[in-house]
Amino acid sequence: MPVRKQAMILFRLSWLTVLALILLDVFRVLSFSWWLTMLPGAVAVAVTLGVSRIGRAHHAERPAAIEVAPPVRGRWSALNSPADKVPSHGTHTYGQTYAIDIVAEGKPGAARPGFTWLWPIVRRNRDFPAFGEPLLAVADGTVVYARDRQRDHLSRNSLPALVHLMLIESVVREIAGAGRVTGNRLVLDLGDGTYAMYAHLQHGSLQVRAGERVRTGQPLARCGNSGNSSEPHVHFQLMDHPDPDAARGIPFRWEGIGVPANTEEFTVGGELAAGEVGEEEGFTFEEKLTSGEELTSEEERTVAPSGPTREARGN
């Protein structure tokens, strides 16, 4: 078992011990000195600092960025981008040193809901244009992990809901393990020790299974809002191990786009609806891509190599 994996297991066991000792003391089952209660907490903090130090050392070596295809089509913008800071999500754990979050901006007149201070506290996932959008293979590879059994929860993009996410929900998910943090996820083996991870997938949306070979651009699943997520979005990263607990992050670049900065808008191909049906044969767009069926001129423009563009979005 990799050392990083052992460290993450120790981290969770330490916090579970802290919680158990506190509960035993609160309900007067057993009483402990404060230092004994905090000892496993100190172990958890030490493990966190150790993993972070290893991550910083790896980043200092600055592995070469690997270029892959974009995992989406349409109009999106970036959040928590490694173009702005590293580690992009504030931590090296789960192999997310160079991870990126992207949200769909939707069509004019149907933009994604913004952050609210109070009301509505939560929103339905269908209110966000990213929800249900197809996710595509960024390179030829093999599926090594695929799970989509977790539910899609409501949004956490109001102040009360965000406080709940940060102070309660995130802590519980960290203790529960990587699976609860990433939610439904899919991992591709791209070869040469490189793995691509897609997190927060939509419940029941997987179109591939472990062991299956995929090719660049093939639909894999749909964007959801499972796991430690404030709204439907795509969390994408490259890493050097299929298990996030044991992985270190690897820098990436998207063909024709690079690495979009925070709030930067970019467009990939056309915006043909994922379930739109071709007029002649009744095939969906994704089925045509994977089955070799002839594409219409409009669909050919959608997947043309010259499709990806990027532009800076104003604040």
Side-chain angles (χ1 to χ4, degrees):
M1 182 183 296
V3 173
R4 291 173 67 92
K5 178 72 172 181
Q6 295 176 27
M8 294 306 296
I9 292 175
L10 178 59
F11 168 83
R12 296 184 187 111
L13 289 177
S14 297
W15 280 121
L16 282 173
T17 303
V18 170
L19 292 176
L21 293 176
I22 291 175
L23 289 175
L24 288 173
D25 192 31
V26 168
F27 291 101
R28 301 186 181 281
V29 177
L30 291 173
S31 183
F32 303 93
S33 300
W34 66 270
W35 64 267
L36 183 60
T37 303
M38 298 310 298
L39 182 59
V43 172
V45 172
V47 170
T48 301
L49 294 175
V51 172
S52 180
R53 184 174 181 179
I54 294 172
R56 287 196 301 271
H58 178 63
H59 172 56
E61 301 171 1
R62 191 66 182 187
I66 295 177
E67 186 168 81
V68 293
V72 294
R73 288 195 310 272
R75 190 165 67 98
W76 298 72
S77 60
L79 300 173
N80 300 317
S81 171
D84 291 87
K85 69 171 185 176
V86 176
S88 58
H89 287 58
T91 178
H92 295 281
T93 57
Y94 306 122
Q96 57 185 340
T97 301
Y98 307 98
I100 192 170
D101 293 331
I102 57 174
V103 291
E105 291 299 336
K107 298 179 180 179
R112 93 180 210 274
F115 179 82
T116 60
W117 290 103
L118 182 60
W119 193 264
I121 296 177
V122 296
R123 292 180 183 271
R124 297 174 303 174
N125 289 315
R126 293 292 179 186
D127 292 341
F128 296 84
F131 190 69
E133 282 297 297
L135 306 181
L136 314 176
V138 296
D140 295 347
T142 303
V143 180
V144 293
Y145 185 93
R147 187 68 60 86
D148 64 355
R149 297 177 183 175
Q150 295 183 45
R151 67 182 181 88
D152 294 288
H153 55 70
L154 297 174
S155 77
R156 308 285 191 260
N157 67 332
S158 69
L159 182 59
L162 190 60
V163 169
H164 165 77
L165 174 66
M166 300 296 291
L167 299 182
I168 301 176
E169 188 173 343
S170 293
V171 174
V172 173
R173 290 184 183 280
E174 284 279 358
I175 295 174
R180 291 298 171 180
V181 174
T182 61
N184 300 318
R185 75 176 186 265
L186 181 142
V187 179
L188 294 181
D189 181 354
L190 307 185
D192 297 324
T194 302
Y195 300 84
M197 186 179 83
Y198 306 68
H200 313 307
L201 308 182
Q202 183 181 10
H203 173 260
S205 69
L206 280 170
Q207 300 177 39
V208 293
R209 63 183 63 182
E212 186 173 338
R213 287 284 301 172
V214 299
R215 62 182 184 179
T216 306
Q218 179 177 334
L220 305 174
R222 296 187 181 276
C223 175
N225 195 32
S226 58
N228 199 53
S229 170
S230 59
E231 67 175 90
H233 74 283
V234 180
H235 175 105
F236 174 82
Q237 66 187 51
L238 295 184
M239 51 192 185
D240 65 358
H241 195 281
D243 184 350
D245 272 344
R248 296 183 299 180
I250 297 175
F252 74 91
R253 288 179 54 83
W254 285 330
E255 295 172 359
I257 297 173
V259 183
N262 285 343
T263 75
E264 184 176 350
E265 224 176 73
F266 63 94
T267 301
V268 185
E271 298 189 47
L272 186 65
E276 188 170 333
V277 178
E279 295 180 358
E280 298 179 1
E281 301 293 339
F283 286 90
T284 65
F285 183 57
E286 284 85 356
E287 288 172 338
K288 287 187 176 185
L289 284 176
T290 56
S291 66
E293 290 294 322
E294 183 178 354
L295 299 177
T296 66
S297 59
E298 175 68 22
E299 293 169 334
E300 287 175 347
R301 286 195 295 271
T302 297
V303 297
S306 59
T309 60
R310 61 188 295 178
E311 57 180 319
R313 188 180 78 176
N315 294 329

